[in-house]
Amino acid sequence: MTSPNDPQTRPHDVLVIGAGGAGLRAAIAAAEAGADVGLVCKSLLGKAHTVMAEGGVAAALRHVAPDDDWKVHFRDTMIGGKYLNNPRMAQLHALESPDRVRELEAWGAVFDRTRDGRILQRSFGGHSHPRLAHVGDRTGLEMIRTLQDRAVAAGIQVYMECTISRLTTGPTGVTGAVGYWRTTGRTIVFPAKAIVLATGGIGRAFEVTSNSWEYSGDGQALAYDAGAELIDMEFVQFHPTGMVWPPGVRGLLVTEAVRGEGGILRNAAGERFMWKYLPEERRHEYAADDAEAATWVTALSQSKQTDARRPPELSTRDNVARAIYNEVKEGRGSPHGGVFLDISYLPADHVRRKLPSMYEQFKELADVDITKGPMEIGPTTHYVMGGIKVDAETGATRVAGLYAAGEVTGGMHGANRLGGNSLSDLLVFGMRTGAGAAAHAQTVDGEPHMDPVQVRGALRDLEAPFERGSGESPYAVLRALQVMMQRLVGIYRIEADLDAALIELAELRRRWAEVCVDGGRTYNPGWNTVFELGNLLTVSEAITRSARQRTESRGAHSRLDFPDTDDAVWGHRNSVIAKGDDGRMSVHTAPVPDMDPELRTLLEADHR
Ligand SMILES: Cc1cc2nc3c(=O)[nH]c(=O)nc-3n(C[C@H](O)[C@H](O)[C@H](O)COP(=O)(O)OP(=O)(O)OC[C@H]3O[C@@H](n4cnc5c(N)ncnc54)[C@H](O)[C@@H]3O)c2cc1C
């Protein structure tokens, strides 16, 4: 008879961990390069975050705005990222995203159309032109459906509801992964010549988030433990528009497409407050008044060209989130602690056609008809710009054989991500990383040897919470972590709070080491939470240490004690987190990678 401690063994050339857009695209590319590929995901195939993406995928296709091209997209991305982006990543992303979107279409994705039958594109904050290819407000669903079909057709072996809890390494780099089936609790090991991490973000570290239970920073923590570096972890994106009411759905995303289609933000006094918050140096890019903004919206809704500039609500996410936070703090908020977002002035059938999910979401969850009145919204933790440091060309980390793509990585988006740039990031770097991992696998002879001591250690750690007999519930520690991170490391930060957070994190880690779970291994969410909580503690510490180190405000990182952007000290520095030889977390800085002189000329007019 087998016991849960007798792991199954499934060797692969390339093991892809995560089956969202990045993981699927990487798996397809690795399989096309001839690798034997295993694809693991901890929920059902198709249930990744990518499926939740609403607004669209950014690519300079030039179907709606002939003046657009990759150079403008590159420039917008760098400006949005406050110049902390890895410039080569931003360049590759802007250059290659049109081909990746066309490829999706060729594989069967059905996008919304222009009148002459081409892929329609919509506006989003910080993009100079309408650039987001979309399918109503269900773009991610179409994307994942298309990629999934392609992956299954490529014969990729899929392991669903299987959580990877440890990576193993040897003298030549990564050797495999250890995990368990969530359904049965049985353990499994994957010897692999190359591994791609595509596990997404960290939103569950905070109390209010648009992210699902899956975003527990697993990939960031697995990579950190295996010796990779994390960069720019202080840059956590608080999306300006999440639901604030009723309490059960607080944080649920209200897509930026609402503002992209003309949604107006007002405070409790009815004031269109975003006029006050446009950064002076970018004000010329926005409409001068309500009349010009209305002209822009009318032209958009009729798919017509216009010289009118975009409305102030389409400022970058960091700026809009801070504006809302200020309005509420200064007493001009809505009854449930948010502000109002109104699209009901447009024809009802147009709103229902362009924003079907938002219409249903508010009707069903809040009993609000968005074609008749405003929504109540407020900021919600949404995305992490920081993550695993990778090579722009191949997705390689500094651990040989370990690769990463998608939201789990850092560098592409700098200090603030523009909406729509994640889905295109997944496609561009998913493909590059899958190819990079497959090329590495070809250089490895024979099946990699997984160190039995490391494997036994990983299996013991999985068993430990059952063996303690008594102890605190992991849910109590998780809740305490989320409340603390929201309170001390949220939209606005200050040194005293960050110091207090580090002390609390040490105490939470001590409590975590003593948690205990009841029941067996079969579908035991408490047991799953123990492992995820450990990862959330690691990423929370990385966020807090990086936030404490960066003594300036930039993009999504706002310090009340250092409110200005300090280009002289921080303008060209990434934050870097690594595990020291003593096992402790260290934080330092490294220069932003050099920019090709030709690229620099594209930014010169803008560079402060
Ligand atoms: C509500 C919402 C709307 C969004 N809208 C947009 C949009 O319109 N445009 C845009 O560009 N971006 C959007 N984003 C952001 C974008 O969806 C995500 O950044 C992107 O989908 C991340 O893709 P990914 O492949 O990196 O990760 P995911 O799609 O989240 O996939 C992660 C995968 O990793 C697996 N996994 C995690 N940990 C483990 C583990 N330990 N073991 C095994 N498997 C594991 C998960 O099961 C999952 O399969 C939105 C995000 C949200 C939450």
Side-chain angles (χ1 to χ4, degrees), residues 6 194 204 281 298 316 323 383 464:
D6 296 332
R204 272 181 84 207
E281 70 277 12
T298 306
T316 51
Y383 184 89

Side-chain angles (χ1 to χ4, degrees), residues 18-19 22 42 49-50 53-56 164 214-215 218 383 407 420 422-423:
K42 69 180 180 181
H49 262 81
T50 304
E54 295 162 345
I164 297 299
E214 284 187 80
Y215 266 12
D218 296 2
Y383 184 89
E407 188 170 341
S422 172
L423 294 188

Side-chain angles (χ1 to χ4, degrees), residues 17-23 40-43 48-50 52-56 162-164 198-200 210-211 214-215 218 253 382-383 406-407 417 420-423 426 531:
I17 306 172
V40 194
C41 50
K42 69 180 180 181
S43 60
H49 262 81
T50 304
M52 295 160 72
E54 295 162 345
C162 182
T163 295
I164 297 299
T199 52
S210 66
N211 294 178
E214 284 187 80
Y215 266 12
D218 296 2
L253 192 74
H382 183 57
Y383 184 89
E407 188 170 341
R417 174 177 72 91
N421 270 2
S422 172
L423 294 188
L426 311 181
F531 159 71

Side-chain angles (χ1 to χ4, degrees), residues 21-33 96-97 99-101 103 107 147 196 392-395 403-406 423-439:
L24 282 165
R25 192 62 193 82
I28 293 166
E32 281 173 350
E96 295 178 5
S97 51
D99 281 349
R100 295 288 73 77
V101 171
E103 177 181 75
W107 291 351
L147 290 173
V196 176
E393 315 292 331
T394 62
Y403 292 73
L423 294 188
S424 36
D425 166 359
L426 311 181
L427 295 173
V428 169
F429 294 104
M431 182 184 136
R432 286 185 157 268
T433 303

Side-chain angles (χ1 to χ4, degrees), residues 233-308:
M233 289 299 286
E234 66 273 39
F235 296 108
V236 175
Q237 182 165 77
F238 298 93
H239 193 292
T241 60
M243 289 180 82
V244 292
W245 186 259
V249 294
R250 188 156 181 224
L252 198 63
L253 192 74
V254 176
T255 174
E256 186 167 332
V258 178
R259 284 176 289 134
E261 296 294 338
I264 294 175
L265 286 165
R266 293 189 195 281
N267 60 23
E271 181 194 6
R272 189 174 190 176
F273 57 85
M274 275 312 298
W275 293 120
K276 291 187 302 200
Y277 292 97
L278 289 176
E280 250 349 283
E281 70 277 12
R282 307 240 75 87
R283 190 169 281 274
H284 61 280
E285 295 174 1
Y286 295 87
D289 50 28
D290 285 354
E292 187 179 350
T295 306
W296 184 93
V297 174
T298 306
L300 175 84
S301 62
Q302 297 171 354
S303 299
K304 289 190 179 144
Q305 294 287 320
T306 177
D307 289 334

